[in-house]
Amino acid sequence: MEEVLLDGSEKLRIFAGTSHFSFTESVAGHIGAKVSQAVVGRFNNGEIQVMIGDNVRGKDVFAIQTMGQPVNESIVELLVMIDAFKRSSARTITAVIPYYAYARQDHQDRDREPIAAKVVANLLMTAGADRVVTMDLHSGQIEGFFDIPVDHLLAAPLLTAHLKERLCEWCHDFVVVSPDMGGVNRARRIAERLDCPMVIIDKRRPARDVAVVANIVGNVKGKTAILVDDTVDTAGSLVEGAKALKEAGAREIYACCTHAVLSGNAVELLEQSALREIIVTDTIPLSKEKQSSKIQVVTVAPLFGEAILRIFNEQSVSKLFT
């Protein structure tokens, strides 16, 4: 991969929202930049207050804000920040969103349902974003919801490297498992990098946030199974999938997920499950109550840093994955 340098850094500005400040610091540190000054807080009535401390006139601004809990506050905070940059005459505004919320509402499952992922895209564009950088969207079609460039980063190379380093020395006979039909492409990327077969779980959802395994397509008997998904939220899919894989004869079961939402009692369910370990990234901060000896975190901050450098220097972002 060609070397990318931070040239003309006086034109680059990196700002942090409040949702994951340590991640922004890691991204900036990786590329030798600093986090620009801004006050992002709340008025007494709960409204969001943004005051930009550094001059952004004619600058390329990168606003880093993941859409973690509280989700709606994180989104509005980012929108208000973008508006502040726009009104301060920034040359370009890039919204860097490690985790894009509402991504699972990308189509209508039932009559009279919203497509909320499109609503969020509209809000970002209306606020004044010129570009979006995000990671492992629930479905690729969300990129088409935007009329501005979207750089869709993939965690697969980093997750695969971690799996190889952590497991391949003492584990054999891997099989990568997609927890449903919608995640086949995501699982295939990991399977190809590990050079191993892929299995698909035929899953049904009789109700919202309820997953039932109907069938396992493929052989897992005696193998080390790796469940691959973009998001672990309630953990129902992973827990039920791991149980079904164990009953089908899998020797050991791991999970590999990009976004660790971990809502409700998800951590407790994972600790009690047949999963030996769950590997996630740091696109969402893990609070103390969401930490577990079963959960291992891989940082993707360097990848976001490299992407920011390439966008700033007008170089190819796709080369990060080739």
Side-chain angles (χ1 to χ4, degrees):
M1 186 169 62
E2 65 192 79
E3 185 178 12
V4 180
L5 302 175
L6 180 55
D7 298 323
S9 58
E10 71 279 357
K11 291 288 187 180
L12 174 67
R13 294 287 186 269
I14 294 178
F15 288 89
T18 62
S19 64
H20 203 350
F21 186 79
S22 61
F23 182 83
T24 304
E25 287 187 312
S26 298
V27 172
H30 177 76
I31 61 177
K34 65 176 182 179
V35 180
S36 297
Q37 295 182 359
V39 173
V40 183
R42 301 292 184 273
F43 289 105
N44 291 334
N45 62 1
E47 292 178 0
I48 292 165
Q49 177 190 32
V50 173
M51 294 187 294
I52 308 301
D54 285 352
N55 178 28
V56 299
R57 184 178 294 273
K59 314 297 185 186
D60 293 314
V61 170
F62 294 83
I64 302 179
Q65 173 85 324
T66 200
M67 293 179 177
Q69 294 289 343
V71 175
N72 299 323
E73 287 236 342
S74 297
I75 294 172
V76 176
E77 186 179 290
L78 177 58
L79 297 174
V80 174
M81 289 174 66
I82 291 171
D83 184 73
F85 299 135
K86 195 75 173 179
R87 295 177 187 277
S88 302
S89 301
R91 190 175 79 93
T92 63
I93 304 168
T94 300
V96 182
I97 308 169
Y99 169 63
Y100 186 93
Y102 288 94
R104 285 177 290 179
Q105 296 187 51
D106 59 348
H107 65 283
Q108 288 185 318
D109 279 326
R110 302 172 183 84
D111 293 338
R112 296 176 294 281
E113 280 190 335
I115 301 180
K118 172 61 174 169
V119 175
V120 175
N122 288 344
L123 289 170
L124 290 166
M125 290 185 292
T126 301
D130 298 300
R131 177 184 291 268
V132 168
V133 180
T134 189
M135 172 169 275
D136 282 358
L137 291 167
H138 184 66
S139 61
Q141 72 193 42
I142 296 173
E143 293 183 55
F145 294 170
F146 289 89
D147 297 322
I148 57 177
V150 176
D151 292 296
H152 188 193
L153 306 184
L154 304 176
L158 294 175
L159 292 173
T160 306
H162 180 83
L163 286 167
K164 287 181 177 179
E165 180 181 350
R166 188 167 182 83
L167 304 181
C168 286
E169 292 182 0
W170 51 276
C171 284
H172 304 283
D173 293 330
F174 282 107
V175 59
V176 170
V177 182
S178 174
D180 51 40
M181 295 300 297
V184 168
N185 289 336
R186 189 179 304 111
R188 183 180 291 116
R189 284 194 289 267
I190 299 287
E192 288 175 348
R193 291 176 181 273
L194 288 175
D195 192 24
C196 68
M198 186 179 72
V199 167
I200 302 171
I201 292 178
D202 180 16
K203 183 178 69 178
R204 302 285 188 270
R205 285 195 178 275
R208 188 177 297 276
D209 292 332
V210 177
V212 177
V213 174
N215 192 23
I216 296 177
V217 183
N219 178 34
V220 298
K221 188 172 183 180
K223 298 182 181 294
T224 299
I226 303 173
L227 275 161
V228 175
D229 210 346
D230 63 317
T231 304
V232 49
D233 186 355
T234 62
S237 293
L238 291 185
V239 170
E240 289 301 315
K243 179 181 177 182
L245 291 170
K246 197 69 175 178
E247 292 174 351
R251 183 173 55 187
E252 286 187 333
I253 306 159
Y254 294 80
C256 192
C257 303
T258 305
H259 309 297
V261 176
L262 299 174
S263 59
N265 64 337
V267 174
E268 181 182 350
L269 290 175
L270 291 172
E271 288 177 342
Q272 297 172 356
S273 72
L275 288 161
R276 176 163 179 171
E277 188 173 280
I278 305 95
I279 301 164
V280 300
T281 76
D282 55 351
T283 57
I284 299 174
L286 284 185
S287 56
K288 287 185 179 180
E289 61 270 16
K290 292 184 179 182
Q291 295 177 11
S292 165
S293 58
K294 276 193 173 186
I295 299 175
Q296 301 296 320
V297 181
V298 176
T299 182
V300 291
L303 181 58
F304 275 89
E306 292 291 333
I308 287 173
L309 276 186
R310 288 179 175 274
I311 294 166
F312 178 67
N313 290 327
E314 298 182 344
Q315 295 174 304
S316 171
V317 175
S318 63
K319 285 192 175 182
L320 289 170
F321 310 106
T322 57

